[in-house]
Amino acid sequence: FRAAKDMGMKLDVYFYTTAMDACAKDTRRNSWKNALSLLEEMKREGIVPSEVTYGVAVTACGNGGQWRKALELLDQMRDVKLKINTITYNSAIAALSKAARNESKQHGNHAGGESNDAELLWEKSLDLIECMEKEGVRRDSFTFSSAISTCGAAGQWQEAVDLIEAMKGDGIKPNKFAYTSAISACANSKQWEPAYDLFNHVKKDGIQPDIVAYNALIGAGMTAKKPKEVFDLWQHMCQSRDAKVSPDIVTLTEVIATLDSAAGKVNRKRVDEVFSEAVARGVIMRKDSLDTSWEVDLSRMSFPVARAAVRHLFRQIVEKYGEGGGDEEDVKDLSLLTGASKMREYVRGVLRDELKPAVYCVVPEMAQGTLVAKEKVIRKYIEGQGQQ
């Protein structure tokens, strides 16, 4: 583009739009500014931007996280009586969706509009959906999926469910992304029943739920405190022959968090069962990791998962070296890598208060992020299990 300009070639709307499209596809941070700069330049040169030109500019702003700029461009199109088509509207809604997801990551999930931006984003998204209907602009699956994603990130579960119904009303079959976003919206608002209904609709519509859909539903069960239902979902995933629903670390973390926060021995037993299954499946504490029998990294685990890991480790030690087990001469110091953080003291408390007899650790002077249970302490623990 610049070469053509330097050569004195006459630039038209096609040249400018192509250059702006390159900016829209550029992943560098300020590419959207270049796109808008080109838009202003062509106006100064007396070249009238087309619908496609504005559409590309909207996409560039959306990709650059500039949703307000994207909406301003739509207003400019209306001012000059340019028709806004499906692609341009979709680009604007996608910009809102991306911003909503970023907002959710930065500030957590907001149910009920705790963040001003979060509330603005989903409301603007619904406004655009309504404008499309009024203007007779075709709404497609991308339109609805992006709007549902925006509502989902803001925890607006009822609006997300309503959009699923609106989608069907337009004769559009909701896709997996739309359903999963709506289920996530329910999860963010602690709405188990609507989430479960949506999950069943996925299957009724002939769509095979994948790991993302299952994790979204488990997330709903976690926030709504449904330990039995979440445990049943875990078992179903483990029993499925479909590799696409095999539990991953997100599944494990949410299932254990749900069970760990629930009272009763039944749920404690379920935690241990889930963790053992996860280890067997290679979801956690994989054999090809840097962990060994006597050095395990807990630092990247959530507190409930680390708690389950500690119990699992000591069960394994007792099974291997307890009465009738392996050679006790092989028992060594156990090092638990926790990082010099709250995790260290949390794990220390689990070892001291939950294991019987209590396991006391030391923190090496040169390794403040490590808890070490000495060989002598480990042997005492093994002997204690034989006496219970």
Side-chain angles (χ1 to χ4, degrees):
F1 174 81
R2 291 301 174 193
K5 191 175 182 180
D6 292 342
M7 291 171 61
M9 293 179 63
K10 185 177 181 180
L11 304 180
D12 58 12
V13 65
Y14 175 77
F15 268 101
Y16 274 101
T17 302
T18 302
M20 289 168 63
D21 186 51
C23 294
K25 293 174 181 175
D26 193 334
T27 56
R28 283 176 293 188
R29 186 175 181 180
N30 291 321
S31 294
W32 65 273
K33 290 183 179 179
N34 297 331
L36 293 188
S37 178
L38 287 169
L39 180 63
E40 292 306 313
E41 181 181 310
M42 66 187 295
K43 290 178 183 178
R44 288 195 301 271
E45 295 294 329
I47 302 170
V48 180
S50 67
E51 295 170 3
V52 177
T53 310
Y54 273 105
V56 168
V58 170
T59 300
C61 290
N63 291 343
Q66 302 298 312
W67 63 271
R68 287 183 174 86
K69 294 287 185 185
L71 297 186
E72 286 174 11
L73 289 169
L74 294 188
D75 290 336
Q76 290 179 29
M77 291 183 73
R78 294 188 183 100
D79 291 341
V80 296
K81 309 302 182 186
L82 279 177
K83 181 177 176 58
I84 307 173
N85 60 25
T86 301
I87 295 173
T88 304
Y89 265 120
N90 282 356
S91 296
I93 297 172
L96 294 169
S97 176
K98 181 178 181 180
R101 292 195 301 273
N102 289 338
E103 179 81 11
S104 179
K105 289 176 183 176
Q106 290 175 13
H107 303 293
N109 297 322
H110 295 287
E114 293 174 21
S115 162
N116 290 335
D117 266 4
E119 185 167 1
L120 270 176
L121 291 165
W122 70 263
E123 287 178 347
K124 292 292 185 184
S125 183
L126 295 186
D127 287 345
L128 293 181
I129 290 274
E130 188 176 339
C131 285
M132 293 178 76
E133 184 177 26
K134 288 179 178 177
E135 295 169 16
V137 180
R138 181 179 61 85
R139 305 182 294 189
D140 58 19
S141 61
F142 186 89
T143 312
F144 284 103
S145 296
S146 297
I148 291 168
S149 173
T150 310
C151 292
Q156 299 297 323
W157 71 273
Q158 188 61 65
E159 286 75 11
V161 172
D162 289 346
L163 284 170
I164 291 285
E165 295 306 314
M167 212 172 171
K168 294 177 180 178
D170 275 19
I172 303 169
K173 185 177 180 180
N175 56 24
K176 193 180 297 182
F177 179 75
Y179 271 125
T180 303
S181 295
I183 292 170
S184 295
C186 295
N188 293 345
S189 301
K190 304 179 182 180
Q191 297 292 326
W192 166 257
E193 294 298 337
Y196 189 69
D197 288 344
L198 286 167
F199 188 80
N200 285 331
H201 279 301
V202 173
K203 294 186 282 188
K204 287 178 183 177
D205 284 356
I207 303 172
Q208 181 61 41
D210 59 9
I211 183 66
V212 179
Y214 269 97
N215 284 350
L217 183 59
I218 287 171
M222 178 180 69
T223 59
K225 301 187 183 304
K226 298 285 184 179
K228 182 183 183 303
E229 290 82 353
V230 165
F231 181 67
D232 289 345
L233 283 168
W234 168 270
Q235 289 189 312
H236 180 79
M237 293 173 75
C238 291
Q239 292 165 5
S240 174
R241 295 180 181 179
D242 185 356
K244 292 180 180 179
V245 300
S246 183
D248 61 12
I249 190 63
V250 175
T251 320
L252 175 67
T253 301
E254 294 193 339
V255 170
I256 286 187
T258 307
L259 299 173
D260 186 76
S261 64
K265 292 182 179 179
V266 171
N267 288 310
R268 176 64 64 88
K269 184 178 179 182
R270 286 170 176 167
V271 168
D272 293 339
E273 182 180 331
V274 166
F275 193 89
S276 294
E277 177 69 28
V279 172
R281 287 174 164 269
V283 176
I284 198 166
M285 294 172 64
R286 296 167 59 95
K287 292 181 179 179
D288 59 357
S289 71
L290 296 178
D291 292 338
T292 67
S293 297
W294 299 104
E295 183 175 279
V296 180
D297 188 356
L298 306 176
S299 63
R300 296 182 181 180
M301 300 178 187
S302 67
F303 281 14
V305 172
R307 183 185 189 189
V310 167
R311 293 206 303 268
H312 176 81
L313 283 169
F314 277 84
R315 283 199 307 275
Q316 294 293 98
I317 289 171
V318 171
E319 287 176 12
K320 188 171 183 179
Y321 301 104
E323 201 171 312
D327 189 349
E328 279 197 39
E329 295 298 320
D330 293 333
V331 174
K332 302 176 182 178
D333 291 352
L334 173 64
S335 295
L336 301 175
L337 311 183
T338 60
S341 62
K342 292 180 180 179
M343 176 64 82
R344 187 186 71 187
E345 296 312 307
Y346 176 80
V347 172
R348 189 200 291 267
V350 172
L351 292 165
R352 181 189 63 233
D353 302 332
E354 298 188 19
L355 298 185
K356 305 297 179 186
V359 172
Y360 292 95
C361 295
V362 297
V363 177
E365 186 176 346
M366 301 302 293
Q368 290 292 302
T370 302
L371 289 172
V372 177
K374 293 292 187 178
E375 173 190 334
K376 185 177 180 180
V377 174
I378 299 292
R379 290 182 185 279
K380 182 179 178 181
Y381 180 81
I382 294 171
E383 292 170 4
Q385 301 312 298
Q387 296 170 6
Q388 290 183 18

